Amino acid sequence: MKSIALFLICFYSSITCFAQKPQADPQYKLISGGDYVASKNYYLLTLFGHIPELKKLLSADQVLSKIGNDKQVELAEAVKNCGEDIGCYIRAAEFSDDDIKQVGTRLGELYRADNELGKLVSMHLVPSGCYSLYADMDNRQLLIKAWEQDAKAVNHTNGVYNGGQKPNYPAIDSINFNIRDKSYPELIALNAALSLSEAKKDNLFFSPGLLFALHGLEMNERNQVADAEPMTETVNKAALEYAKKLKWSRYKYTLILVPGEGPEEKDVALSAGGMLRCRLAALQYNNGAAPFIMVSGGCVHPFKTKFNEALEMKKFLMEVLHIPEYAILAEPHARHTTTNLRNCARLVFRYGFPMDKPCITSTAKSQSYYITDVVPARSKKELGYSPYLNGKRLSDTEAEFYPLPVSLQIDFDEPMDP
């Protein structure tokens, strides 16, 4: 049975177990530079800025420097001339199609297997898994696709959180400001001026647009992607210490996943549905099904809530149901059912847990069937892949799933949960 599951995981994931090309590595340590908002959304750009020899190579290149200087000029002109035209600032800060093409072409020209860009791909982009949808490409093309993805991600953030464009889920993810308010253009002009000043210090071709995007997230209080990071040292520290001495063979399942259900009332910390889902998972845990319960969900419902679904469920499991902290893993970032499963798969991989052993979901009947019957296709549409394979249905409220490593792929248009 175990060999069949492994075969299925290999067959359906974006990688092939028998391929010679290196793949994502659970031992790889992500580089954040202390800025988890930037690194989790724009990993290539983070690496560009935090690997000294690579930064030196890019800063010294005349073609890339000209592109960066031209962008600084555009932003400076915007500060002087855009006035109350919000779109004018956005166009100045974003990467145009021509910018994206020029940078991609130049990165391809600079790439050598034995230079800093070659090392970047082989030592970081491939083992990180952050661009796993491009894993079958040659390394030069993977580098270009990673750049294109990060550029699109910066543009999306700027469009939504500076320009007021509609996000994928307007009810929970929209901008915090009325862009028609007379004071808003001045706020955006200040962001542009600040981004320009900081970019001149960075001396990197992408800095103006990236900084403008990061400031946009910050002023909208949309930095939740950094909540509880680094999780290995905060909310999941006790569980990971326990995992070091765990005998996985004693358990049929790796973990029990509890997807969050955010309350709609502003002052309610944990919904009734969240409480009952925790109780279902506690029954499975106490029966010895798995060594861990993973609670998943971010600050989602209602709009701009301060309550985090995963952390409130963890508190309920510990204080009310007396589940020990070492048995609880928190995933405090997911904003949708698709990313409950995706983020779970990511942590299973990153934490070095068995990938050929199934996990189970424990939730209400309607969501349980939604996960098995609808979410795989929805994930392929929204994420470009399914983050898991269905296993057996155990009951109306529990079903098996096998996490897939393709889940490490960054989602460019969800900056609070990429």
Side-chain angles (χ1 to χ4, degrees), residues 251-285:
Y251 299 95
K252 186 174 182 180
Y253 300 109
T254 299
L255 55 81
I256 304 153
L257 174 64
V258 186
E261 182 187 58
E264 294 300 337
E265 299 81 9
K266 183 178 180 181
D267 297 321
V268 176
L270 181 62
S271 70
M275 295 177 191
L276 293 175
R277 293 175 190 192
C278 286
R279 288 189 176 275
L280 281 172
L283 286 174
Q284 292 289 340
Y285 171 79

Side-chain angles (χ1 to χ4, degrees), residues 230-249:
M231 292 189 289
T232 54
E233 298 298 322
T234 58
V235 293
N236 292 332
K237 184 176 182 179
L240 293 178
E241 287 297 319
Y242 179 66
K244 291 178 182 178
K245 52 189 177 184
L246 193 63
K247 292 184 178 180
W248 288 104
S249 59

Side-chain angles (χ1 to χ4, degrees), residues 16-34:
T16 302
C17 291
F18 306 105
Q20 296 300 311
K21 187 175 174 64
Q23 302 296 342
D25 182 358
Q27 301 300 316
Y28 177 80
K29 302 300 181 186
L30 292 164
I31 293 174
S32 71

Side-chain angles (χ1 to χ4, degrees), residues 55-317:
K55 183 177 181 179
K56 182 179 178 181
L57 183 153
L58 298 175
S59 299
D61 183 72
Q62 293 184 358
V63 175
L64 295 177
S65 293
K66 183 180 185 307
I67 293 170
N69 290 336
D70 288 348
K71 183 57 61 178
Q72 289 186 24
V73 170
E74 283 186 63
L75 207 55
E77 290 296 318
V79 173
K80 291 180 182 178
N81 302 320
C82 284
E84 297 183 359
D85 184 354
I86 303 301
C88 177
Y89 296 101
I90 304 304
R91 289 188 295 274
E94 72 181 1
F95 301 109
S96 68
D97 291 344
D98 191 51
D99 292 334
I100 295 173
K101 184 177 180 179
Q102 284 188 53
V103 171
T105 298
R106 187 55 180 164
L107 290 175
E109 292 170 347
L110 291 173
Y111 174 88
R112 299 286 184 276
D114 59 352
N115 72 0
E116 293 304 320
L117 285 172
K119 294 174 187 176
L120 168 75
V121 179
S122 62
M123 297 174 62
H124 295 281
L125 299 191
V126 172
S128 74
C130 292
Y131 304 91
S132 57
L133 285 180
Y134 320 123
D136 289 335
M137 296 180 176
D138 66 69
N139 283 2
R140 186 191 308 272
Q141 193 61 32
L142 191 156
L143 171 64
I144 294 170
K145 293 297 291 184
W147 152 249
E148 291 173 352
Q149 177 179 302
D150 277 21
K152 285 199 302 181
V154 169
N155 284 355
H156 176 83
T157 301
N158 277 323
V160 174
Y161 293 105
N162 283 308
Q165 297 172 10
K166 280 189 178 182
N168 295 327
Y169 296 89
I172 56 173
D173 294 340
S174 293
I175 193 171
N176 198 38
F177 301 93
N178 179 1
I179 64 171
R180 294 179 179 84
D181 190 285
K182 291 182 179 181
S183 64
Y184 188 68
E186 184 177 12
L187 191 67
I188 292 300
L190 181 57
N191 183 2
L194 179 64
S195 300
L196 180 61
S197 296
E198 293 177 350
K200 290 178 179 178
K201 297 178 182 178
D202 281 350
N203 194 32
L204 286 166
F205 68 92
F206 56 84
S207 291
L210 174 61
L211 290 165
F212 192 63
L214 291 172
H215 296 154
L217 287 170
E218 182 180 63
M219 69 187 192
N220 278 278
E221 299 180 311
R222 292 300 198 177
N223 282 346
Q224 287 96 331
V225 69
D227 285 354
E229 293 288 5
M231 292 189 289
T232 54
E233 298 298 322
T234 58
V235 293
N236 292 332
K237 184 176 182 179
L240 293 178
E241 287 297 319
Y242 179 66
K244 291 178 182 178
K245 52 189 177 184
L246 193 63
K247 292 184 178 180
W248 288 104
S249 59
R250 292 176 51 196
Y251 299 95
K252 186 174 182 180
Y253 300 109
T254 299
L255 55 81
I256 304 153
L257 174 64
V258 186
E261 182 187 58
E264 294 300 337
E265 299 81 9
K266 183 178 180 181
D267 297 321
V268 176
L270 181 62
S271 70
M275 295 177 191
L276 293 175
R277 293 175 190 192
C278 286
R279 288 189 176 275
L280 281 172
L283 286 174
Q284 292 289 340
Y285 171 79
N286 288 326
N287 286 335
F292 298 111
I293 297 172
M294 179 180 288
V295 285
S296 174
C299 298
V300 184
H301 297 284
F303 180 75
K304 294 300 293 288
T305 182
K306 299 298 183 184
F307 292 111
N308 183 281
E309 294 174 13
L311 301 186
E312 294 301 326
M313 287 193 288
K314 179 178 179 179
K315 187 186 303 182
F316 184 82
L317 284 168

Side-chain angles (χ1 to χ4, degrees), residues 4-13 358-359 376 386-392 400-404:
I4 294 174
L6 180 58
F7 171 78
L8 288 172
I9 289 171
C10 294
F11 182 77
Y12 284 104
S13 71
C359 304
S386 178
Y388 62 95
L389 292 176
N390 283 323
K392 294 184 295 185
E400 297 177 347
F401 71 96
Y402 292 85
L404 298 177

Side-chain angles (χ1 to χ4, degrees), residues 332-353:
H333 304 118
R335 304 182 70 75
H336 315 289
T337 307
T338 53
T339 52
N340 287 139
L341 277 293
R342 182 202 65 184
N343 293 359
C344 173
R346 287 178 174 178
L347 294 188
V348 170
F349 186 91
R350 295 280 188 217
Y351 292 166
F353 294 176

